[in-house]
């Protein structure tokens, strides 16, 4: 994936028109679909399987000197079930002595309606291929079903929707949390082998013949052996049919015990640090000023050897002169650790690799707290404003990502805005100095302390995100964890790989009108469990950053939502470096747009249920962002970006009414979706990002006293819906009818409007076929209510507001190019003038 996502996103201007907007009447639309019949279904499966057989026959002719005698005639095949149906999994394993076909692993996916489909990986020998072909032929023969009155092999075949030859990526089970390694990248893999078919000598011989390195670390489980193997994905791709016992590929977790173990001395750490300094360079990819991560924290000790070359003294400021500018927080500091993660990421990874590291962004600090003085939390809003303005005045030409991890516990009441969160919303909407630009703010959600194994995750769900994490416009960052490996087998991790971190707080107990928080999650560390009881934080289950007093310690375990916020700021700075001209609304939108839930987050959840969807959004937001997808598109994954201004309301005589909506006719790969993607899966994801102007006060239950200045949302034309019906569904401006809420019950979104309409960013998605998606290229962005409309005396009803619309269409078919024709279409389209 890292190599395929190498194309810039496409900006679309001139593809929308302004239309008059009035709350619409309801339009009921019903679409019926026919089931696939046996003949069509069986012949399609037969065609797909014969294509796989031809590749298998071709593979048998390949000459492999020196290893031919050890070659197994095996091919790996993926079977996909129809949505909403499962498999009879036992039928995908041959129970005879020949073992002609074997089920290797099962994965589950969920679609927009909450339905599941299963993706299974099966290894087949030559006899297995013949057996499956015979089963399909019998299924198609009506004479074979006289006794049962059902097609023969119906139980095995009827729910198969697609059959395809598996690539090496089919074995990669860390896709939800880690990118598949680049084709020529020589990396370590966790290679999982099935114990039943495992021949250690043969596997070792095969791996050595392809030039792979076999590590000393090996594990044995009930049904698997796990080896560490260093190789390129190209080497593994060329040898996948040799390794007949291969079951899974995973990314090895790098343990930080080489830094944190009690036997590691200061001199040992110094050697690791010197190596990292030698491998790190600081560059500026543009002619302008670097993007800066602006830390609102306890100060930074920039004399640390890993900071002194990139954080000059001039970048350190403070709210109070008496505090000084440096990090005086006890126990290793805090702001210094934030700076280390914001620049290098988890130091465990940076220290463990031998690769060169290039850092394109910088860090500045505005000290907002000091252990010598307890600051009144109610003053934090003023501090945020002073800090933001001071840094902008000092370095006015830099783009920024502000990062705040100092939170106030016990302030939030059911998610209600506070003075500090409202000040933050106002600051993000526009700063007080010229130019009055919108700002990007990352805010940590705050931590919870788990005291026993039984408390996780229930205590997390009832522990509120801390102030100012309820701010609409900020990206509130929660904590997940991928850290689940320990060098001492006596200990075990509390949270599963990819699950919510034990330190994470949520908005699960908030009142429903307030935003879904956190927005996204990053690594926040895990907790350890000992046979004698709960342990809590463990160095090896924590990201590693920098100690504030490097004369005593160089590195510091650094966990919780502070760690997550710093890592989020790093990714956002990298994104803003690539796209310096994008609006802040767009950068914020892209980060959230790229996020997804891991399998562990979805475990035990039925996203077809509103309660489970709400629990996901209120605990881990939209999931873990993906830097590759945030920055780039691919041939089969196209992202379109529109940056627009809209006037939601206007004055009609003495009343304030809704004014306009934007109707987009999107540049769309219609023919490719219809003919090349066709019945294959296609996914559409839409994110609408905008900033609101806050109007806080304890009157939010009144419809006249909205906290948000305005609200926007979107609708997509439905399959089979005419443009005229779609426009009437969006707006009844041309109809003599009373105003009603738009009808969205028949739209196929996963999250759905009733849940996504919280806060000032709206993301939703669903899966469908390419054929159905081919004609769904009309989209409307329309206004809802806000205090710009309801508070007429404040004279903001004629305000124009910005928004960013981000749309991604993607297909699982890797050989389809939906990008190039749209790029050409955009370049040749004459912009619409209104």
């Amino acid at each position: 994936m890292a190599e395929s996502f190498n194309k810039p996103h496409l900006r679309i201007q001139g593809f929308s028109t302004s239309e008059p907007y009035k709350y619409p009447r309801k339009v009921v639309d019903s679409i019926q679909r026919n089931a696939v019949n046996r003949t069509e279904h069986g012949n399609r499966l037969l065609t797909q399987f014969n294509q796989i057989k031809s590749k298998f026959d071709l593979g048998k002719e390949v000459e492999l000197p020196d290893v031919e005698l050890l070659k197994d005639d095996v091919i790996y095949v993926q079977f996909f079930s129809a949505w909403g149906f499962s498999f009879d999994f036992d039928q995908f394993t041959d129970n005879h002595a020949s073992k002609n076909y074997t089920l290797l692993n099962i994965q589950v996916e969920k679609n927009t309606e909450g339905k599941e489909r299963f993706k299974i990986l099966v290894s087949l020998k030559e006899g297995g291929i013949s057996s499956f072909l015979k089963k399909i032929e019998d299924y198609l023969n009506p004479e074979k079903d006289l006794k049962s009155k059902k097609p023969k092999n119906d139980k095995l075949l009827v729910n198969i929707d697609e059959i395809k030859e598996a690539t090496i990526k089919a074995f990669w089970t860390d896709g939800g949390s880690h990118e598949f390694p680049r084709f020529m990248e020589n990396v370590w893999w966790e290679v999982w082998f099935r114990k039943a078919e495992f021949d250690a000598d043969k596997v070792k011989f095969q791996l050595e013949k392809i030039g792979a390195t076999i590590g000393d670390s090996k594990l044995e489980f009930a049904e698997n052996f796990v080896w560490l193997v260093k190789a390129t994905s190209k080497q593994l791709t060329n040898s996948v049919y040799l390794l007949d016992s291969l079951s899974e590929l995973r990314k090895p977790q790098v343990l930080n015990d080489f830094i944190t173990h009690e036997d590691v001395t200061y001199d040992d750490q110094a050697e690791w640090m010197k190596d990292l300094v030698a491998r790190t360079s600081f560059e500026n990819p543009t002619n302008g000023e670097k993007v800066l991560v602006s830390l609102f924290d306890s100060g930074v000790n920039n004399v640390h050897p890993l900071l002194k070359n990139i954080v000059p003294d001039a970048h350190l400021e403070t709210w109070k002169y008496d505090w000084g500018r440096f990090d005086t927080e006890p126990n290793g500091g805090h702001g210094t650790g934030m700076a280390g993660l914001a620049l290098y990421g988890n130091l465990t990874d940076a220290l463990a690799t031998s690769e060169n590291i290039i850092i394109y962004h910088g860090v500045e600090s505005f000290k907002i707290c000091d252990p010598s003085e307890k600051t009144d939390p109610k003053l934090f809003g003023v501090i945020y404003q002073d800090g933001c303005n001071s840094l902008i005045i000092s370095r006015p030409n830099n783009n920024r990502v502000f990062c705040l991890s100092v939170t106030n516990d016990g302030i939030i009441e059911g998610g209600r805005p506070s003075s500090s969160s409202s000040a933050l919303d106002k600051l993000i909407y526009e700063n007080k100095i010229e130019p009055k630009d919108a700002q990007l703010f990352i805010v940590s959600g705050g931590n919870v302390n788990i005291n026993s194994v039984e408390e996780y995750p229930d205590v997390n769900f009832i522990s509120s995100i801390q102030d100012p994490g309820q701010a609409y416009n900020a990206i509130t960052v929660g904590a997940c964890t991928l850290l689940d490996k320990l060098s001492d087998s006596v200990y075990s991790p509390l949270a599963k790989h990819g699950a919510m971190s034990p330190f994470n707080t949520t908005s699960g107990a908030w009142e429903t009108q307030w935003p879904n928080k956190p927005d996204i999650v990053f690594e926040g560390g895990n907790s350890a469990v000992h046979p004698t009881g709960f342990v809590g934080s463990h160095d090896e289950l924590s990201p590693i950053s920098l100690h504030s007093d490097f004369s005593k310690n160089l590195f510091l375990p650094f966990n919780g939502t502070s760690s997550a916020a710093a890592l989020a700021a790093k990714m956002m700075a990298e994104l803003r470096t690539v796209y310096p001209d994008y609006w802040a609304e767009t950068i914020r939108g892209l980060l959230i747009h790229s996020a997804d839930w891991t399998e562990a987050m979805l475990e035990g959840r039925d996203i077809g249920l509103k309660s489970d969807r709400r629990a996901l959004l209120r605990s881990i937001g939209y999931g873990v962002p993906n830097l590759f997808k945030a920055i780039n598109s691919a041939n089969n994954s196209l992202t379109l970006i529109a940056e627009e201004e809209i006037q939601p309301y206007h004055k009609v005589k003495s009343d304030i009414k809704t004014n306009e909506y934007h109707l987009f006719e999107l540049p769309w790969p219609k023919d490719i979706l219809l003919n090349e993607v066709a019945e294959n899966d296609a996914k559409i994801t839409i994110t609408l990002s905008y900033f609101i102007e806050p109007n806080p006060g304890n009157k939010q239950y009144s419809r006249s006293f909205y906290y948000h200045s305005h609200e926007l949302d979107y609708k997509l034309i439905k399959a089979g819906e005419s443009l005229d019906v779609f426009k009437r569904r969006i707006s009844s401006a041309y109809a003599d009818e009373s105003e009603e809420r738009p009808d969205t019950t028949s739209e196929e979104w996963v999250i759905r409007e009733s849940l996504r309409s919280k806060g000032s960013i709206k993301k939703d998605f669903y899966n469908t076929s390419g054929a159905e998606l081919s004609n769904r290229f009309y989209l409307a962005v329309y206004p809802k209510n806000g205090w710009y409309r309801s508070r007429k005396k404040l004279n903001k009803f004629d305000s124009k507001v910005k928004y960013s619309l981000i749309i991604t269409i993607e297909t699982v078919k890797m050989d389809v190019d939906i990008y190039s024709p749209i790029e050409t279409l955009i370049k040749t389209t004459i912009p619409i003038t209104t």
Side-chain angles (χ1 to χ4, degrees):
M1 185 176 292
E3 284 189 333
S4 60
F5 280 82
N6 56 8
K7 298 177 180 294
H9 300 318
L10 298 177
R11 301 177 78 161
I12 52 173
Q13 301 300 134
F15 285 87
S16 67
T17 57
S18 174
E19 304 282 341
Y21 183 73
K22 185 178 180 181
Y23 273 65
R25 65 182 179 88
K26 295 185 178 181
V27 178
V28 179
D29 182 53
S30 178
I31 302 172
Q32 295 183 351
R33 294 172 175 83
N34 295 323
V36 177
N37 64 45
R38 174 171 65 170
T39 302
E40 292 174 347
H41 180 63
N43 282 323
R44 184 161 57 86
L45 297 183
L46 194 63
T47 298
Q48 292 175 2
F49 222 100
N50 275 317
Q51 290 174 345
I52 292 172
K53 182 178 184 297
S54 65
K55 293 181 180 180
F56 178 82
D57 293 337
L58 183 63
K60 290 172 61 180
E61 300 172 3
V62 176
E63 295 294 331
L64 296 171
D66 300 327
V67 298
E68 184 62 24
L69 293 177
L70 293 178
K71 177 181 173 182
D72 292 293
D73 289 332
V74 172
I75 195 167
Y76 295 90
V77 177
Q78 282 186 296
F79 293 85
F80 297 80
S81 74
W83 288 107
F85 296 92
S86 183
F87 285 129
D88 184 353
F89 297 109
D90 291 340
Q91 296 202 35
F92 289 88
T93 295
D94 183 3
N95 293 318
H96 297 93
S98 59
K99 290 286 184 182
N100 280 321
Y101 48 94
T102 303
L103 175 65
L104 302 184
N105 60 56
I106 302 170
Q107 299 183 54
V108 65
E109 300 174 331
K110 292 182 182 291
N111 73 355
T112 56
E113 301 173 352
K115 293 181 179 179
E116 293 180 342
R117 79 164 182 180
F118 290 86
K119 179 172 61 176
I120 63 176
L121 185 63
V122 178
S123 69
L124 296 102
K125 299 178 182 178
E126 185 172 12
I129 294 177
S130 300
S131 177
F132 265 83
L133 287 171
K134 181 67 165 56
K135 291 176 186 294
I136 297 173
E137 290 169 354
D138 288 346
Y139 170 78
L140 283 166
N141 187 349
E143 296 180 2
K144 297 284 186 177
D145 57 0
L146 294 177
K147 291 184 179 180
S148 66
K149 297 183 180 181
K150 289 184 179 180
K152 192 169 183 180
N153 303 313
D154 179 82
K155 192 175 182 181
L156 170 68
L157 301 173
V158 71
N159 287 343
I160 299 175
D161 186 61
E162 186 177 8
I163 308 169
K164 61 173 66 174
E165 182 186 11
T167 66
I168 192 69
K169 289 186 179 180
F171 297 85
W172 183 251
T173 59
D174 279 347
S177 53
H178 294 291
E179 295 295 333
F180 188 81
R182 292 186 291 271
F183 196 56
M184 297 300 294
E185 185 180 10
N186 197 29
V187 297
W188 285 101
W189 310 71
E190 269 189 13
V191 185
W192 291 59
F193 298 99
R194 302 186 311 281
K195 185 182 290 186
E197 289 84 15
F198 186 76
D199 183 327
D201 292 335
K202 187 174 75 170
V203 168
K204 182 178 179 182
F205 181 80
Q206 291 169 339
L207 289 171
E208 289 174 346
K209 279 297 179 181
I210 64 169
T213 301
I214 303 172
D216 295 330
S217 299
K218 299 172 185 177
L219 295 173
E220 180 179 356
F221 299 109
E223 293 187 289
N224 296 99
F225 288 108
V226 182
W227 285 14
L228 284 179
V229 175
K230 190 173 187 181
T232 66
S233 62
K234 178 182 179 181
Q235 289 171 313
L236 293 180
T237 297
N238 292 337
S239 64
V240 65
Y241 57 90
L242 294 178
L243 304 175
D244 63 310
S245 57
L246 182 61
S247 178
E248 290 184 54
L249 295 172
R250 301 185 185 183
K251 183 184 185 299
Q253 180 181 311
V254 180
L255 295 177
N256 61 31
D257 60 338
F258 63 92
I259 288 295
T260 61
H261 195 276
E262 60 183 9
D263 293 337
V264 177
T265 66
Y266 182 89
D267 290 340
D268 293 332
Q269 291 189 358
E271 289 300 317
W272 284 101
M273 183 193 66
K274 290 177 183 177
D275 174 71
L276 179 57
V277 169
R279 291 185 286 108
T280 304
S281 61
F282 308 97
E283 299 183 9
N284 191 349
T286 67
N287 294 326
E289 299 292 335
K290 285 186 176 184
V291 174
L292 296 177
V293 174
S294 307
L295 298 172
F296 283 9
D297 214 282
S298 62
V300 171
N301 285 356
N302 63 335
V303 292
H304 194 291
L306 287 172
L307 296 178
K308 67 179 182 179
N309 291 330
I310 193 171
V311 185
D313 288 346
H315 282 202
L316 304 181
E317 301 186 26
T318 184
W319 193 60
K320 281 191 175 182
Y321 179 80
D322 293 343
W323 289 350
R325 300 173 297 163
F326 301 107
D327 190 355
T328 53
E329 193 71 17
N331 302 317
H334 195 271
T336 306
M338 294 291 293
L341 293 175
L343 288 169
Y344 295 91
N346 185 353
L347 266 294
T348 301
D349 299 325
L351 292 166
T353 184
S354 60
E355 302 294 326
N356 291 331
I357 295 175
I358 303 176
I359 299 176
Y360 295 105
H361 58 280
V363 160
E364 62 183 0
S365 167
F366 188 84
K367 187 171 182 175
I368 67 170
C369 60
D370 189 86
S372 65
E373 178 179 343
K374 182 174 176 57
T375 306
D376 185 348
K378 295 180 181 179
L379 293 178
F380 270 116
V382 176
I383 299 175
Y384 304 153
Q385 292 176 354
D386 289 351
C388 181
N389 294 335
S390 178
L391 295 178
I392 291 175
I393 291 171
S394 297
R395 285 163 290 281
N397 298 322
N398 294 86
N399 281 331
R400 285 177 170 77
V401 174
F402 289 94
C403 183
L404 171 65
S405 62
V406 179
T407 57
N408 311 312
D409 194 10
I411 299 297
I412 295 179
E413 295 181 11
R416 185 182 64 181
S418 67
S419 61
S420 56
S421 72
S422 300
L424 199 59
D425 273 332
K426 178 68 174 178
L427 185 60
I428 296 169
Y429 182 74
E430 62 175 15
N431 56 279
K432 290 186 175 181
I433 59 178
E434 295 293 341
K436 293 184 177 181
D437 295 328
Q439 303 298 320
L440 288 167
F441 256 90
I442 297 285
V443 178
S444 68
N447 300 332
V448 62
N449 291 319
I450 299 293
N451 297 310
S452 69
V453 174
E454 293 75 21
E455 289 184 350
Y456 173 82
D458 293 343
V459 169
N460 300 86
F461 285 114
I462 62 174
S463 298
S464 174
I465 284 173
Q466 298 171 11
D467 182 71
Q470 73 273 44
Y472 273 56
N473 296 334
I475 294 183
T476 305
V477 181
C480 66
T481 187
L482 303 179
L483 302 177
D484 63 344
K485 303 292 192 303
L486 290 152
S487 59
D488 188 343
S489 59
V490 174
Y491 295 92
S492 60
L494 175 60
K496 291 183 178 180
H497 180 92
M500 178 175 65
S501 167
F503 303 105
N504 189 55
T505 51
T506 74
S507 60
W510 289 5
E511 295 172 346
T512 57
Q513 72 264 38
W514 303 121
N516 299 310
K517 296 287 182 172
D519 297 287
I520 50 177
V521 288
F522 277 79
E523 181 61 65
N526 206 340
S527 294
V529 179
H530 190 271
T532 59
F534 181 74
V535 176
S537 297
H538 191 288
D539 289 354
E540 291 181 12
L541 296 178
S542 300
I544 296 298
S545 192
L546 305 179
H547 199 285
S548 60
D549 187 357
F550 79 94
S551 65
K552 296 180 180 179
N553 290 287
L554 291 169
F555 303 107
L556 178 72
F558 200 90
N559 59 21
T561 57
S562 292
S563 161
L567 295 172
K570 176 181 183 291
M571 185 179 290
M572 180 169 276
E574 291 168 339
L575 179 58
R576 197 160 204 192
T577 297
V578 175
Y579 293 112
D581 297 327
Y582 276 178
W583 291 352
E585 292 88 343
T586 306
I587 298 297
R588 172 214 196 196
L590 281 170
L591 192 68
I592 294 174
H593 186 78
S594 73
D596 205 352
W597 298 314
T598 65
E599 290 184 8
M601 293 170 184
L602 293 172
E603 185 176 339
R605 300 280 184 198
D606 180 0
I607 59 174
L609 298 176
K610 183 177 180 180
S611 59
D612 278 11
R613 296 196 303 274
R614 183 182 186 275
L616 278 170
L617 289 175
R618 292 284 187 179
S619 59
I620 42 84
Y622 292 102
V624 185
N626 182 311
L627 181 61
F628 288 109
K629 289 186 176 181
I631 290 179
N632 288 322
S633 292
N635 282 338
N636 68 326
S637 181
L638 166 69
T639 295
L640 303 172
I641 297 173
E643 296 178 325
E644 300 285 353
E645 281 190 334
I646 190 171
Q647 184 179 330
Y649 318 111
H650 65 159
K651 191 174 183 179
V652 179
K653 296 182 179 179
S654 60
D655 293 331
I656 310 303
K657 301 286 188 179
T658 52
N659 177 43
E660 63 174 338
Y661 76 94
H662 285 176
L663 178 65
F664 285 84
E665 182 176 357
L666 300 167
W668 213 242
K670 307 173 193 174
D671 293 339
I672 295 174
L673 288 171
L674 179 62
N675 299 316
E676 295 187 35
V677 180
E679 297 305 316
N680 288 283
D681 289 345
K683 179 181 179 181
I684 181 168
T685 304
I686 299 178
T687 299
L688 181 65
S689 175
Y690 58 94
F691 295 137
I692 59 98
E693 184 175 0
N695 185 25
N698 197 24
K699 300 178 181 179
Q700 303 304 321
Y701 295 100
S702 169
R703 294 184 64 86
S704 297
F705 292 89
Y706 294 97
Y707 175 77
H708 49 273
S709 54
H710 61 286
E711 186 178 3
L712 304 176
D713 214 325
Y714 56 82
K715 292 186 184 296
L716 184 71
I717 195 168
K718 295 180 290 187
E721 186 177 35
S722 68
L723 177 59
D724 179 64
V725 171
F726 177 58
K727 292 174 72 172
R728 286 191 287 117
R729 182 162 66 90
I730 298 301
S731 172
S732 61
Y734 301 108
D736 185 17
E737 295 181 359
S738 61
E739 294 182 346
E740 296 183 62
R741 287 184 60 84
D743 175 25
T744 61
T745 56
S746 59
E747 291 197 1
E748 309 91 333
W749 301 109
V750 168
I751 297 171
R752 304 176 193 175
E753 186 177 350
S754 61
L755 287 178
R756 74 174 186 236
S757 296
K758 313 292 180 184
S760 60
I761 192 158
K762 314 290 173 64
K763 175 185 173 181
D764 222 327
F765 56 95
Y766 76 96
N767 297 300
T768 183
S769 68
E772 186 196 78
L773 191 59
S774 63
N775 287 312
R776 304 189 65 178
F777 50 85
Y778 284 105
L779 182 144
V781 175
Y782 61 94
K784 296 181 179 180
N785 280 321
W787 66 264
Y788 278 2
R789 180 184 182 185
S790 62
R791 305 298 294 154
K792 180 172 63 174
K793 293 181 179 180
L794 299 178
N795 292 318
K796 299 288 293 229
F797 49 78
D798 58 354
S799 298
K800 289 187 176 182
V801 295
K802 292 180 175 181
Y803 70 84
S804 293
L805 179 68
I806 305 169
I807 305 163
T808 294
I809 50 176
E810 54 188 321
T811 173
V812 296
K813 289 199 70 175
M814 300 298 294
D815 57 345
V816 171
D817 182 6
I818 59 178
Y819 184 96
S820 300
I822 303 310
E823 182 181 31
T824 301
L825 180 61
I826 291 172
K827 289 179 179 178
T828 57
T829 298
I830 299 175
I832 298 171
T833 57
T834 58

